[in-house]
Amino acid sequence: MEKIIEKYYRPRLPHIWCPGCGNGIVTGAIVKAIDKLGLDQNKTVIVSGIGCSSRASGYLNFDTVHSAHGRALPVATGIKLAEPDLNVIVVTGDGDGTAIGGNHFIHAARRNINLTVILYNNNIYGMTGGQYSPLTPTNNKATTAPYGTVERTFDIAELAKAAGATFVARGTAYHTQMLVDLIAQAISHDGFALVEAITQCPISYGRQNKMGDAPKMLAWQRDHAVTVEAAKKLAPEQLADKFLIGVLHKSEAPEYTKQYDLILAKAQKGAR
Ligand code: SF4
């Protein structure tokens, strides 16, 4: 573990995350997946937007970009187009990635560009004070919804699939080893890959919704997550208050930068 910390983290302690926050667990899973795959650190770029989870890019010892709010995907798309051989990993949150960045998200998925998106889903805007996000469950409280939000929630995995993503998975901070494996599969996938990582925010989300402390929130993840394989043996009513974890969707489609290269070659020949 010491080797991993020395190799992949910048010495920037103390970090900004609250005690009990799951962001460190998800970030650790990304690093372990990178280590497991033996990726070249000099050929791996981490791009983030803005928010609690997006601070991860600043702690990691890679070429990193801590970009603007909701704009991690356009920046990552530019990097991937300029240098298709780089491994480009996007770190984003439910607010950053699905609200202000939602349009970028669906179009990156539609293009099937070979980016790996790790979306830390803590169900709230944590950094800015606990406002509800598109992934805050309906009726849950937020500083902007003190009586509960009336909005319906995105299923970001279904949205990604419908938009054209060719690898979609969901894991949790509780199921850490599975999360490492899912992220490794996502990085290895040739196309747009999403891993939704359910993570606990005991401060901005948990407090307002009386979810208890970090161990209780982790226990909630343990008790409500069902693997895709186990779900096949359960009746719909047994899955009513549960969510699926594992690989939710995998398909093949032309990858954007490869298609773009073909067009460049055609243009260089002057052929239309
Ligand atoms: Fe983590 Fe929530 Fe604190 Fe942000 S506000 S650092 S998500 S616990």
Side-chain angles (χ1 to χ4, degrees), residues 16-23 51-53 122 124-128 199-205:
I16 66 149
W17 293 323
C18 308
C21 178
N23 287 349
C52 293
S53 53
N122 66 355
I124 206 117
Y125 282 93
M127 181 177 275
T128 48
T199 177
Q200 74 278 7
C201 166
I203 303 303
S204 289
Y205 177 69

Side-chain angles (χ1 to χ4, degrees), residues 35-86:
D35 192 64
K36 183 177 171 180
L37 294 171
L39 297 190
D40 183 341
Q41 229 165 321
N42 292 316
K43 290 200 164 176
T44 302
V45 181
I46 314 276
V47 184
S48 68
I50 295 293
C52 293
S53 53
S54 288
R55 291 298 289 253
S57 60
Y59 300 130
L60 296 174
N61 190 18
F62 297 85
D63 286 322
T64 63
V65 184
H66 190 181
S67 72
H69 198 196
R71 309 299 181 228
L73 278 165
V75 172
T77 297
I79 294 168
K80 189 71 187 176
L81 267 177
E83 296 286 348
D85 291 339
L86 295 178

Side-chain angles (χ1 to χ4, degrees), residues 1 4-5 8 15 22 32 40 45 58 64 71 81 90 111 114 121 124 151 161 169 187 190 200 202 213 216 246 255:
M1 180 57 83
I4 283 191
I5 290 172
Y8 296 111
H15 60 70
K32 285 179 197 152
D40 183 341
V45 181
T64 63
R71 309 299 181 228
L81 267 177
V90 173
R111 291 181 188 120
N114 189 3
N121 180 7
I124 206 117
E151 293 188 13
K161 182 179 158 189
I187 293 171
D190 187 20
Q200 74 278 7
D213 57 12
K216 283 199 178 120
E255 193 278 323

Side-chain angles (χ1 to χ4, degrees), residues 209-225:
N209 289 287
K210 301 197 171 27
M211 302 270 299
D213 57 12
K216 283 199 178 120
M217 293 186 79
L218 283 163
W220 184 93
Q221 294 170 21
R222 178 197 63 203
D223 297 341
H224 288 81

Side-chain angles (χ1 to χ4, degrees), residues 147-160:
Y147 300 99
T149 170
V150 295
E151 293 188 13
R152 291 189 296 167
T153 315
F154 270 149
D155 181 330
I156 196 65
E158 284 297 323
L159 179 67

Side-chain angles (χ1 to χ4, degrees), residues 1 4 9 21-34 36 118 170-185 195-200 218-219 221-222 225 227 245-246:
M1 180 57 83
I4 283 191
Y9 287 84
C21 178
N23 287 349
I25 300 174
V26 179
T27 306
I30 296 172
V31 158
K32 285 179 197 152
I34 289 170
K36 183 177 171 180
I118 314 301
R170 185 184 294 120
T172 80
Y174 177 83
H175 303 85
T176 315
Q177 191 50 54
M178 178 193 270
L179 189 59
V180 175
D181 292 342
L182 293 172
I183 293 171
Q185 286 185 63
V195 178
E196 178 189 4
I198 308 285
T199 177
Q200 74 278 7
L218 283 163
Q221 294 170 21
R222 178 197 63 203
T227 63
I245 54 172

